[in-house]
Amino acid sequence: MSQLRVRFAPSPTGYLHIGGARTALFNYLLARKEQGCFVLRIEDTDVARSTEQSVEAILQAMQWLGLSCDEGPYYQSQRFPLYRDKVQAMLASGGAYRCYCTAEELEAKRQLAEQQKRKPKYDGTCRNRSEVPAGSPYVVRFHTPREGETCFADRIKGTICFQNQELDDLILQRSDGTPTYNFVVVVDDAEMGINLVIRGDDHINNTPRQILLYQALGYAVPEFAHVPMILGADQKRLSKRHGATSVMAYRDLGYLPEAMVNYLVRLGWSHGDQEIFSMEELIEMFSLDQVGRSAGVFNPEKLLWLNSHYIKTGDPQRLGDLLRDYLAALGHRCDDGPEPAEVVKTLQDRCKTMVEMAEQAVYYYRREVVFDAQAEAKFLTSAQQPVFAATLEQLSALNNWTAGGVEDALGRVMEETGLKFGKIAQPLRVALTGNTVSPSICEVMAVMGRDRSLARISRAAARLA
RNA sequence: GUCCCUAUCGUCUAGCCUGGCCCAGGACACCGGCCUUUCACGCCGGCGACGGGGGUUCGAAUCCCCCUGGGGACGCCA
C-alpha cells in the first residue's frame, strides 16, 4: 500500500482555534503513526481576508502544540497559474461553463427561493446560454451532473450518499479570476497526492461536489474522514462567545501544550478508560476507528484539570524556565532570587495554571514583602512577640538550612513557647510571604534561603503592633 | 424550507460492529469524609445516563423502523 499522505489546510483569516487544532492534531497523529506524510497548506485564495499575521499565528500555535509537518507550508496564493490552467481545461472539456449572472441577480433568486421555502440553489440559467455578453464579467461554474447519486465511505461516519440533483453548479473561478475553495482544495489535494482527507464534518456537504470534481478532472478520489464539530456549553458551534477559543490564548492563560493536546485528543477520541496520554502514546495508539461520530462540547474545566495534572507531574527544570516567562509577564525578574526550578517544586502541587504559579511565586522574588492588610492585622500583633523572638533565636543558630533543619528549629520554638505548630506557622507565613496562604513554611524558607528568610522575619518582628 | 450528520450521567466518554459478563464502567465538575502547618495535593465515599414509541429475540444500551431532540450545509468564505 502506498504511503499515507494527509494534510491540514487552514485559511489564514484568524488565529488557530480549538477546532482547527484538533483537526491538525488528528492529521499529525495519524501521519506519525502510519509513517505517512503530514502536509501543511495555507488556503489563502481569499486574498482580501487572508493575512500574513494569521499565517504566523497559525504556524506559531502548531509549533507550540508540537505539530510539525513534513511538507509545506504551501501557499495557494502562489499556485494561481496551476488553478487557472485547470479551469481552462474544465472549460475546454465542457465540464465547466461561464456564468454571467450578477451577484445581485443571484441574491434575489436566493431570497425568492427562501421565501418559497425551496432549497436556495443556482438554477443553471447560464448552462446553455447561447449569446455571450461581450466584455461582461463572468464566473466559471462546474457543470454538475443532475442524474444519479454520489456516495463515499467516510472513515468515521460510514457510507454517505447524496442525490446529485441536490447539488448545484458551484463556482470554480470568481469574476476577478481567482479560484474558489471547492475547486482549489480538489486540485491541491490531488496534485499533492493526499490520499486521506481528515477535516471537520461541516465539510460533508462539500464532499460529493468535490468527488465529482475529482472525477471531472481525471484525478483519483481520496478517502475522507469527517471529524465531528466542537460545540460550546450551549451546544452551539464554538465561537468567541464561549470564551477563549484561540489555542495561543491558553498559553497566555498559563496552560501547557501537553494539556491542550491531551484534552483535544480526548474530545472525540478515546482509548478505553485511559485519560492521560503522552504524545508518544498517542502516536502509537491513535486510530480513526475510535473517533466518535457525534459533536462534543468543549469543557474548560477538564482542560484545567489536565493542566494541573501536567504541572504536578512536570519536570521542575522545564517548568522553572516557563515560570520565568510568566513571572516576567507579571513584571518580575528571577535573577536575584531562588532558582525557579526550586520554586516550582514548592508550588506545582497547588497550581492549576502557570499564571497561578507565577502569582504565587511573586513573594520569592520581591525585594520586600508586601503585606496583605487583613493577614497583617490578624497575625502580626504584639502578642506574637515571643514567637518571633524564639524563632529568630533558633533560626539564627541553625547550621543546617534545609526544610528539615528549619522544621527541627521550629520544633524547638514550639517547646520554648508551648504553642502548637499551627500557632507559630501562620505568623511566620505572613512574615515571609505577606499572606496567609503558601506552601509549607519550612520549604518556603529552605527555597528562599537563610538571609532573605531571616531578614523578613526580623522586619516583621520589628513592626508587630 | 431542503439536504446531510448525530443521539449513554451536567460534560468528555467505555460498552454497541461480534445481543446475555451492564439493575451500564471510567474521567471532569459537584457533594460529604479523612489527612493537615494555611491553601492546595492526595485518599475514601456519594450524586448522576442508555431521548420516546414500536418491533425482532428466551433475552436489547447493543439489531430494525418511526418520532423527537441536537448539530451542520445550502456564499463570487474556507
Side-chain angles (χ1 to χ4, degrees):
Chain A
M1 193 189 147
S2 60
Q3 187 203 33
L4 175 74
R5 288 180 64 85
V6 294
R7 49 62 160 187
F8 177 55
S11 76
T13 53
Y15 47 73
L16 180 66
H17 55 88
I18 299 291
R22 189 183 58 163
T23 303
L25 176 61
F26 283 8
N27 273 286
Y28 171 84
L29 292 176
L30 205 62
R32 286 288 167 281
K33 177 184 173 159
E34 309 287 337
Q35 277 141 31
C37 182
F38 179 40
V39 178
L40 178 61
R41 184 176 70 227
I42 305 297
E43 309 234 317
D44 53 356
T45 55
D46 186 345
V47 187
R49 295 202 308 157
S50 300
T51 67
E52 193 61 39
Q53 295 95 294
S54 296
V55 173
E56 279 310 312
I58 290 167
L59 260 25
Q60 190 193 24
M62 286 183 68
Q63 187 181 17
W64 183 65
L65 291 172
L67 310 181
S68 53
C69 62
D70 305 300
E71 266 183 39
Y74 295 112
Y75 292 82
Q76 293 188 320
S77 57
Q78 293 173 3
R79 297 162 62 83
F80 278 17
L82 168 67
Y83 310 137
R84 191 169 286 269
D85 285 353
K86 293 296 172 186
V87 168
Q88 289 310 317
M90 287 290 286
L91 243 17
S93 70
Y97 61 93
R98 294 184 174 80
C99 168
Y100 297 88
C101 298
T102 65
E104 294 72 40
E105 286 167 359
L106 294 173
E107 184 52 32
K109 283 178 186 176
R110 237 193 309 278
Q111 289 198 358
L112 185 67
E114 240 164 87
Q115 268 176 27
Q116 296 177 176
K117 309 231 182 257
R118 285 183 295 112
K119 183 167 181 167
K121 198 182 119 179
Y122 180 62
D123 60 7
T125 302
C126 295
R127 266 197 172 201
N128 305 302
R129 193 168 191 138
S130 44
E131 36 49 268
V132 175
S136 301
Y138 62 88
V139 300
V140 176
R141 283 186 188 271
F142 180 41
H143 198 291
T144 309
R146 289 192 165 153
E147 308 284 303
E149 59 176 8
T150 301
C151 297
F152 61 98
D154 193 276
R155 289 279 295 272
I156 291 171
K157 308 268 190 179
T159 299
I160 300 175
C161 290
F162 288 82
Q163 294 299 313
N164 289 345
Q165 60 182 8
E166 292 295 333
L167 281 20
D168 65 354
D169 292 351
L170 64 125
I171 293 174
L172 306 182
Q173 190 179 76
R174 303 184 182 95
S175 50
D176 66 359
T178 59
T180 60
Y181 165 74
N182 276 297
F183 184 61
V184 294
V185 76
V186 168
V187 172
D188 278 341
D189 282 339
E191 294 287 334
M192 293 176 187
I194 303 302
N195 44 29
L196 171 62
V197 173
I198 303 174
R199 69 212 323 187
D201 73 6
D202 48 339
H203 284 285
I204 285 181
N205 293 278
N206 291 326
T207 308
R209 300 194 289 189
Q210 289 172 7
I211 288 173
L212 259 14
L213 267 175
Y214 276 100
Q215 292 166 346
L217 286 159
Y219 289 130
V221 180
E223 279 199 290
F224 294 93
H226 287 100
V227 182
M229 298 275 88
I230 297 178
L231 277 22
D234 56 359
Q235 306 254 300
K236 299 279 181 232
R237 195 182 176 141
L238 197 63
S239 73
K240 351 280 167 257
R241 296 183 295 109
H242 299 102
T245 55
S246 154
V247 167
M248 290 313 270
Y250 283 92
R251 181 194 60 178
D252 299 342
L253 255 20
Y255 287 75
L256 263 21
E258 55 268 47
M260 181 58 83
V261 164
N262 199 145
Y263 177 72
L264 252 22
V265 81
R266 275 290 285 108
L267 215 191
W269 173 83
S270 60
H271 185 79
D273 287 338
Q274 189 170 342
E275 295 287 349
I276 305 294
F277 298 89
S278 66
M279 191 62 107
E280 292 68 38
E281 286 177 303
L282 289 176
I283 290 170
E284 190 187 319
M285 299 171 168
F286 187 77
S287 156
L288 251 25
D289 301 335
Q290 300 302 319
V291 174
R293 286 161 301 172
S294 54
V297 172
F298 179 71
N299 182 199
E301 245 114 48
K302 189 151 183 180
L303 206 209
L304 188 61
W305 171 74
L306 279 163
N307 201 53
S308 68
H309 168 82
Y310 282 107
I311 286 179
K312 221 169 299 171
T313 56
D315 170 45
Q317 197 60 51
R318 175 195 163 219
L319 260 26
D321 290 340
L322 291 174
L323 181 61
R324 282 178 193 278
D325 298 335
Y326 286 99
L327 236 14
L330 257 34
H332 296 279
R333 300 176 59 86
C334 301
D335 306 336
D336 120 69
E339 265 307 307
E342 295 305 309
V343 170
V344 166
K345 287 180 190 166
T346 71
L347 254 22
Q348 61 189 150
D349 271 350
R350 37 195 16 105
C351 300
K352 291 180 190 296
T353 71
M354 289 307 291
V355 167
E356 247 180 67
M357 192 187 286
E359 285 164 356
Q360 291 182 33
V362 164
Y363 57 77
Y364 280 115
Y365 297 102
R366 276 207 164 106
R367 213 162 273 292
E368 298 283 357
V369 176
V370 175
F371 294 102
D372 173 77
Q374 275 196 348
E376 184 180 19
K378 184 167 179 189
F379 292 105
L380 297 188
T381 62
S382 51
Q384 307 298 336
Q385 204 74 63
V387 172
F388 278 84
T391 302
L392 244 14
E393 180 199 327
Q394 288 297 337
L395 252 24
S396 304
L398 185 63
N399 293 318
N400 170 32
W401 193 271
T402 61
V406 170
E407 190 173 358
D408 292 343
L410 292 184
R412 290 190 287 277
V413 173
M414 285 166 71
E415 281 174 34
E416 229 176 279
T417 60
L419 293 170
K420 292 211 296 181
F421 194 81
K423 289 291 175 191
I424 65 175
Q426 269 321 63
L428 290 176
R429 175 168 283 118
V430 176
L432 291 159
T433 72
N435 220 313
T436 54
V437 175
S438 86
S440 148
I441 52 164
C442 301
E443 282 176 42
V444 169
M445 282 194 256
V447 170
M448 196 174 277
R450 180 192 188 104
D451 293 350
R452 192 169 291 197
S453 300
L454 253 22
R456 289 188 178 187
I457 296 171
S458 303
R459 178 174 170 243
R463 50 188 282 164
L464 293 182

